[in-house]
Amino acid sequence: MSTITCAVLMALSLWPASYVSASEPDHPAANQQNYSADLIETTRLAEEGKAATQLKWADMYFEGRGVAKDLHQAAHWYRKAADQGNDRAQHSMGWMYQTGSGLSKDMQQAAYWYLKAAQQGNVNSQNNLGWLYEKGQGVVKDVQQAAHWYLQAAQQGNKEAQNNLGVIYQEGLDEIKKDEQQAVHWYRKAADQGLSVSQNSMGRMYFEGRGIAKDYQQAALWYRKAADQGEARAQSSLGWMYQTGTGVAKDAQQAAGWYVKAAQLGNAGA
């Protein structure tokens, strides 16, 4: 067996599952309009305490729409709207504290605001709060709480939470019993929505026959979906499958092409 084949096989067996976290503030698509005519009225309504207008004003500062981009001002207006119970503003406050964008990084404050938004059903906050509980950042580590919040978001169709729930079931973390069939269930939901890390995980589960019957053709199909989106691990796996003729017709040119793509993205096994 060649050195490169051995290297890729070792990488395939060692790759950890991939989490997805820190969903950014959700801003509605901007209308193509001249914001300057609206600034005076927007300012007036925001200063009068209209939460929806405060949120709009914050979004404009966050994105630099009609005003100079200013994350400190964005945080100022997000807080005003968040204090009135607006869940999207609360999520934005959590994200800005988590990432240190416009505010000093503070994971406890991030958890505080994510919880407020999550309790109102904000799916991005539910996913991010789950991640904080899983990693023990800003809160005491609690995998059961992590799974709870991931599930809340996953049931609403959030693909990042679906992936993260899949990882917990695949690995069997702490109090959560390992259940590879459940892992496949959630990976597939996220993969069907186009999440590349979940598509790669589906490829791996089919390749190894974990939680589902081993099927190299299905493994190649899912690796290809992820590889086409630039997932380096999937590209390397697909290269090995073409090199060895596993699940696909043997094709040295295709193998080399995928190895090169993976290597260009920094995959050491390619």
Side-chain angles (χ1 to χ4, degrees):
M1 185 179 290
S2 69
T3 301
I4 191 168
T5 302
C6 289
V8 175
L9 277 173
M10 181 174 292
L12 280 168
S13 66
L14 295 177
W15 281 335
S18 299
Y19 291 93
V20 183
S21 67
S23 301
E24 294 187 13
D26 178 24
H27 302 124
N31 294 324
Q32 298 301 313
Q33 59 178 326
N34 184 344
Y35 288 97
S36 60
D38 193 36
L39 291 181
I40 295 176
E41 181 66 6
T42 299
T43 304
R44 183 183 68 79
L45 291 173
E47 290 176 346
E48 287 179 358
K50 304 290 186 183
T53 308
Q54 292 168 342
L55 183 63
K56 177 181 177 181
W57 200 222
D59 287 344
M60 291 170 70
Y61 273 118
F62 187 92
E63 298 178 348
R65 289 192 277 114
V67 294
K69 185 172 183 175
D70 187 330
L71 295 180
H72 294 290
Q73 279 294 314
H76 169 78
W77 289 107
Y78 279 137
R79 184 183 295 275
K80 285 185 175 294
D83 283 339
Q84 294 193 65
N86 183 284
D87 70 286
R88 194 161 69 77
Q90 291 167 345
H91 173 77
S92 296
M93 286 297 296
W95 183 86
M96 295 182 88
Y97 272 119
Q98 182 179 358
T99 60
S101 301
L103 295 166
S104 297
K105 191 170 184 177
D106 187 326
M107 301 305 283
Q108 288 183 321
Q109 280 292 307
Y112 170 82
W113 287 109
Y114 282 149
L115 177 60
K116 283 186 171 294
Q119 288 174 331
Q120 295 193 69
N122 186 291
V123 295
N124 290 327
S125 282
Q126 289 169 343
N127 177 62
N128 289 7
L129 184 60
W131 189 86
L132 293 182
Y133 270 114
E134 185 168 348
K135 303 303 178 185
Q137 295 192 19
V139 292
V140 176
K141 183 176 180 179
D142 188 328
V143 176
Q144 285 187 322
Q145 277 293 307
H148 166 78
W149 287 112
Y150 285 151
L151 181 61
Q152 298 303 304
Q155 288 177 331
Q156 293 192 69
N158 182 276
K159 60 187 177 182
E160 290 80 13
Q162 290 167 345
N163 177 81
N164 294 344
L165 198 55
V167 174
I168 285 182
Y169 278 119
Q170 181 185 341
E171 297 185 350
L173 299 178
D174 296 344
E175 305 93 344
I176 307 299
K177 185 178 179 181
K178 185 173 183 176
D179 187 333
E180 292 181 334
Q181 288 183 324
Q182 276 292 306
V184 168
H185 170 79
W186 290 111
Y187 282 148
R188 187 183 299 278
K189 284 185 175 293
D192 283 341
Q193 293 192 69
L195 192 64
S196 63
V197 293
S198 293
Q199 291 170 339
N200 180 70
S201 294
M202 284 298 298
R204 180 181 177 185
M205 301 301 267
Y206 270 116
F207 184 89
E208 298 179 358
R210 297 174 60 181
I212 200 165
K214 183 178 288 189
D215 187 326
Y216 291 137
Q217 289 182 325
Q218 281 292 311
L221 182 150
W222 285 108
Y223 280 143
R224 180 61 184 258
K225 287 178 182 288
D228 283 341
Q229 293 196 69
E231 188 71 31
R233 297 171 303 169
Q235 291 170 342
S236 187
S237 298
L238 196 56
W240 181 85
M241 297 185 85
Y242 273 114
Q243 180 185 350
T244 59
T246 304
V248 293
K250 194 170 184 177
D251 188 326
Q253 188 172 2
Q254 281 282 327
W258 287 113
Y259 282 144
V260 168
K261 286 180 181 289
Q264 288 172 339
L265 290 173
N267 188 284

